[in-house]
Amino acid sequence: MKSWLVPCILVAWLLPASADHCLDPPPVNYSILIVTAREERFVVTYTCISGYHLVGKKELFCNKTSLEWDSPAPTCLLGHCPNPVVVNGQLNSSKLEPVSEEEVVTFSCGTGYILKGSNWSQCQKDHSWTPPLPICITGECKSPQRPKNGHFKARDFNSGSNTTFYCDDGYQLIGAQTLQCMDGEWSDEPPICEEILEATTEVPVKAEKESERNNICESIQKLMQCQKDKGKTLEELKYSLEIKKLQLEKMKAVMST
């Protein structure tokens, strides 16, 4: 009988048997096992034969105290890679036989679900799938957290929908005002509402008015000094200003017509 038809192939112990080691390692159908010594304790390694994949721990260690193996024996199941299963989705293949090495499969999701990940995968020599198997998720996002001292408005939380945030009076929005649901995830973190301090608005206005008054005073002082340098009295300055005022009013009347 050929070796690959033998249910279990056992490679003999590489160290002499003694009374202070674990019992013989449990056999596993369709596997090859090797027992070695590592850091003064026995280790058994299981490898499935071609066409089968391992489910469980590949290595078992012998406990020095209890003289028992640290884990249950694995199993070897038919198929070079584990059967590709996607919850809420399906495998796009008519093949019913176990998966073989280098086989490529494709996936799709059921109604109302969105594929996250690659829509195909290939069975590798090490019995794994590459890229990793995808998952099927709902496109709906979870309700965002309402900001303290604020609120949000939204029609729904489905994929593609927008949610807009607002703050109460006396508070300003920090962060993105509008978030979009994209394949079950929000486009950004929810914003917060921060209190508007009075000093942040009143101080600049007060400083601006003070600067304006200073400019007016400075202009008047310059004008008075100029008139004084020319030897004109305050009465003459007053008369000159009245004349300029009448001229400006006349020009304003002409422009309005």
Side-chain angles (χ1 to χ4, degrees), residues 11-70:
V11 175
W13 291 79
L14 302 184
L15 294 175
S18 64
D20 59 351
H21 65 68
C22 293
L23 298 177
D24 289 345
V28 174
N29 291 339
Y30 310 107
S31 72
I32 299 174
L33 64 87
I34 299 177
V35 181
T36 57
R38 186 184 303 173
E39 297 179 356
E40 298 183 356
R41 61 175 177 170
F42 291 117
V43 180
V44 58
T45 304
Y46 292 90
T47 303
C48 295
I49 64 176
S50 179
Y52 291 80
H53 64 276
L54 190 75
V55 177
K57 288 187 63 176
K58 182 177 182 179
E59 293 185 336
L60 272 60
F61 291 85
C62 178
N63 189 298
K64 291 182 179 181
T65 304
S66 64
L67 299 181
E68 295 179 351
W69 299 103
D70 66 337

Side-chain angles (χ1 to χ4, degrees), residues 10 18 24 32 43 53 75 81 123 133 165 229:
L10 176 63
S18 64
D24 289 345
I32 299 174
V43 180
H53 64 276
T75 56
C81 287
C123 178
L133 301 181
F165 294 80
D229 294 341

